[in-house]
Amino acid sequence: MSCSADPDPLDDRHPEPGLRADAERNRDRIVAAARRLFAGRGLGVSMACVAREAGVGKATLSRRFATREELINAVFADRMDAYAAATAQALADPDPWRGFTGFIETVCAMQAADRGFADVLARSFPAAKAVEARRAEAYEGFLAIIARAQAAGHLRDDFTADDLVILLMANAGVVAATTDSAPDTWRRLVGQMLRAYAAPGAPLPPLAPPPSQTALYRAMVRIARPAPG
């Protein structure tokens, strides 16, 4: 379904002091609308749809956020903060393997809860400076998480940080395909991958049950169906 925006209810290109509060409210409405749409439908939502959802014109949206990357920065700043904080929590765990598996499960759960965030973690946005800065911070922390788990003898020596990128890309696809028919499918994927990452003798994490064949069929139909708009 395509979206179009109505004419601007307020022209804030040159706001007078009395209009600044209105301009700030417009910004907040745009961010809230984008957060709702991205969470439910992923980053493929058009800027016109965001403007429509926020009740502003496309010109107002473009003045507040000149590019999609600027909007992504505003919408996902807090989630990227939580992503970076998850590395610190994992490093604070006295059990390096538990810290590693807990970090993977936490991040993949964050993806499952927000399709937009799932897309953010599976892609790169060079122009979204705040998002990429937090991603770099989390990456450095994850390198330390890997080193601790490998030194403890529980994580395979051939595991690298690139394997996390691959997992996040795969999980984003699973979340997008199964969010309606089998929303817990990602847990099965993560459990299987953590078992694959484990070195011989490492405690294996529990494995969630697979989705039903009916749910998987519905997910396959969803993938095959053309995207709206």
Side-chain angles (χ1 to χ4, degrees):
M1 177 179 178
S2 61
C3 294
S4 60
D6 295 327
D8 284 11
L10 175 67
D11 186 340
D12 55 9
R13 281 173 291 186
H14 304 289
E16 299 175 4
L19 296 180
R20 289 173 185 165
D22 292 310
E24 187 61 28
R25 280 194 291 270
N26 277 345
R27 185 186 188 281
D28 292 344
R29 288 163 62 188
I30 291 167
V31 171
R35 182 169 286 137
R36 289 192 299 271
L37 291 174
F38 289 159
R41 296 163 55 183
L43 295 184
V45 175
S46 70
M47 296 290 273
C49 280
V50 173
R52 180 94 177 167
E53 177 77 7
V56 303
K58 289 186 287 185
T60 292
L61 187 150
S62 66
R63 285 192 293 274
R64 301 278 68 79
F65 301 100
T67 66
R68 177 178 289 267
E69 286 75 15
E70 289 182 11
L71 182 58
I72 288 171
N73 258 333
V75 170
F76 294 104
D78 58 341
R79 287 159 178 76
M80 291 304 290
D81 286 345
Y83 177 48
T87 62
Q89 182 178 353
L91 289 171
D93 194 316
D95 184 331
W97 175 241
R98 186 174 61 198
F100 173 85
T101 59
F103 175 79
I104 297 292
E105 290 168 349
T106 296
V107 173
C108 289
M110 292 170 68
Q111 283 189 301
D114 187 325
R115 283 188 58 191
F117 189 64
D119 290 344
V120 166
L121 290 188
R123 306 180 192 179
S124 179
F125 303 90
K129 301 300 183 183
V131 165
E132 293 305 319
R134 278 293 190 243
R135 192 196 307 277
E137 179 182 337
Y139 179 81
E140 291 301 318
F142 188 57
L143 292 179
I145 294 170
I146 293 172
R148 291 179 75 230
Q150 289 176 332
H154 288 156
L155 178 62
R156 285 173 43 167
D157 291 336
D158 58 357
F159 181 91
T160 73
D162 291 339
D163 291 312
L164 174 63
V165 177
I166 295 169
L167 173 58
L168 294 178
M169 293 171 68
N171 195 48
V174 169
V175 168
T178 63
T179 185
D180 294 331
S181 58
D184 287 334
T185 302
W186 69 273
R187 298 183 185 278
R188 178 75 175 188
L189 169 68
V190 172
Q192 291 283 26
M193 295 311 300
L194 287 175
R195 289 174 169 231
Y197 301 153
L204 297 180
L207 189 61
S212 69
Q213 291 186 349
T214 299
L216 281 179
Y217 174 76
R218 289 174 179 165
M220 293 169 69
V221 171
R222 178 190 178 96
I223 295 172
R225 186 179 300 131

